[in-house]
Every structure is written in structure tokens, then in C-alpha cells.
């Protein structure tokens, strides 16, 4: 079970939940693991914390991930947006 911990981000001067960091990256169209890591390093997040954030961000459930792909394909094929 994941814990939605907070990390202090020096450049912001505040603590932020891991999920908000992940959501901010994805909401603004961030893709790619290496770019995500670089962005986390830019915010001076410690390496161990980056590992924890990556684990939370990348540990999906296979059945749900397949459902997402199927849903997007169905919606795109049927022009139902």
C-alpha cells in the first residue's frame, strides 16, 4: 500500500503531497521518465524521495491500465468525445 507522503520542496518553501507532484506533471502534459526525474531534481527533491515518487507514479494495476487503453481506443474509434 502506498502512502501519499509529503516532501518539502525548498524552491517552493512548502511541503507537497507526492500525488500532487505526479498530477502536476501529468496535467501539464509531462511524459517520459527521464524528464520527470530531471524535473524532480530541479525542485531539489532528494534521490530517495524521487525513488518513492517514481514508484507511486509508475506502479499501475495491469487490469486498470488495459481498461484505460481499451476505453481510449473505443472512444477514439467511435468519435465519442
Amino acid at each position: 500500500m502506498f502512502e501519499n507522503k509529503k516532501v518539502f520542496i525548498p524552491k517552493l518553501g512548502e511541503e507537497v503531497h507526492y500525488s500532487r507532484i505526479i498530477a502536476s506533471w501529468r496535467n501539464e502534459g509531462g511524459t517520459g521518465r527521464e524528464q520527470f526525474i530531471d524535473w524532480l531534481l530541479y525542485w531539489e527533491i532528494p534521490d530517495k524521495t524521487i525513488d518513492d515518487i517514481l514508484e507511486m507514479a509508475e506502479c499501475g494495476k495491469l487490469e486498470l491500465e488495459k481498461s484505460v487503453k481499451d476505453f481510449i481506443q473505443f472512444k477514439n474509434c467511435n468519435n465519442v468525445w
Side-chain angles (χ1 to χ4, degrees):
M1 186 65 137
F2 295 108
E3 182 181 347
N4 190 19
K5 297 179 186 176
K6 285 185 172 182
V7 60
F8 181 76
I9 300 180
K11 289 184 176 185
L12 288 178
E14 63 183 84
E15 288 189 329
V16 180
H17 282 98
Y18 291 4
S19 61
R20 291 199 174 238
I21 294 168
I22 295 164
S24 295
W25 175 256
R26 293 195 173 152
N27 288 347
E28 290 303 314
T31 60
R33 187 179 206 273
E34 294 306 315
Q35 285 184 324
F36 186 43
I37 292 170
D38 287 345
W39 182 66
L40 296 173
L41 289 169
Y42 165 80
W43 286 109
E44 301 175 0
I45 295 174
D47 290 343
K48 171 60 176 120
T49 304
I50 288 175
D51 291 342
D52 292 344
I53 292 169
L54 288 171
E55 183 178 6
M56 181 179 275
E58 296 174 340
C59 191
K61 184 164 175 55
L62 183 60
E63 295 83 355
L64 293 173
E65 291 171 352
K66 180 167 180 357
S67 173
V68 170
K69 288 179 184 177
D70 292 346
F71 179 79
I72 290 171
Q73 183 177 9
F74 172 78
K75 290 294 216 174
N76 287 338
C77 288
N78 293 295
N79 297 320
V80 186
W81 284 113

